[in-house]
Amino acid sequence: MKGGNINLIDLDFEYKLWKNRLSLFVKEIDILKVRNEEVKHEQNIEELNTVELMVLDEHTEQLNRLINRIKVQENELQFYNKDFPITQKHQYYTDHEGLRTKMEDISKIHFYRVADLTKALGI
């Protein structure tokens, strides 16, 4: 970002970073589910209940929806690259800021949920 303008490469970098982070979150949930299957045979650790598993599934769906939203935004930007660089009043800047807010919110939720489940499953 130079002089208050955002270039296409700035948005592309942030989108790639976000998609990788969200993919990591999905993989962490998969690891938690596998670990949950392993603890069924251990005596000192309780497995996750149905509600907790449903919450994980819903969270995974939210993560995947956000990944898809970012992909749609990336595809849109490919067709409108003539509009770059953009300023803070530009529509893509507003869309980007909205995605950034969603990304921050879902990251906080993920870290909160995973920290609790990691302790519970003894990972």
Side-chain angles (χ1 to χ4, degrees), residues 16-107:
K16 285 181 181 176
L17 184 72
W18 292 346
K19 286 189 309 185
N20 287 338
R21 181 177 294 161
L22 292 170
S23 295
L24 174 68
F25 291 168
V26 171
K27 288 176 185 175
E28 284 180 331
I29 291 172
D30 291 341
I31 290 170
L32 287 171
K33 288 179 180 179
V34 168
R35 177 64 179 149
N36 186 52
E37 292 298 316
E38 292 172 356
V39 299
K40 287 182 178 182
H41 307 293
E42 296 183 22
Q43 296 176 354
N44 298 333
I45 302 175
E46 289 187 32
E47 63 183 280
L48 299 176
N49 62 36
T50 306
V51 174
E52 291 168 327
L53 290 172
M54 287 173 47
V55 167
L56 280 179
D57 289 339
E58 174 62 29
H59 185 57
T60 302
E61 287 178 29
Q62 290 173 346
L63 293 170
N64 286 324
R65 279 195 301 264
L66 188 52
I67 289 170
N68 290 334
R69 177 65 185 107
I70 291 169
K71 287 178 182 177
V72 166
Q73 186 71 12
E74 282 180 318
N75 290 336
E76 234 177 77
L77 294 178
Q78 290 176 358
F79 295 108
Y80 297 102
N81 64 359
K82 66 183 182 295
D83 291 340
F84 291 93
I86 60 175
T87 63
Q88 292 183 355
K89 294 179 182 178
H90 197 286
Q91 177 62 37
Y92 288 120
Y93 183 86
T94 306
D95 293 345
H96 185 75
E97 287 298 311
L99 283 174
R100 180 178 286 144
T101 302
K102 287 180 184 179
M103 186 65 198
E104 290 169 357
D105 292 345
I106 206 160
S107 293

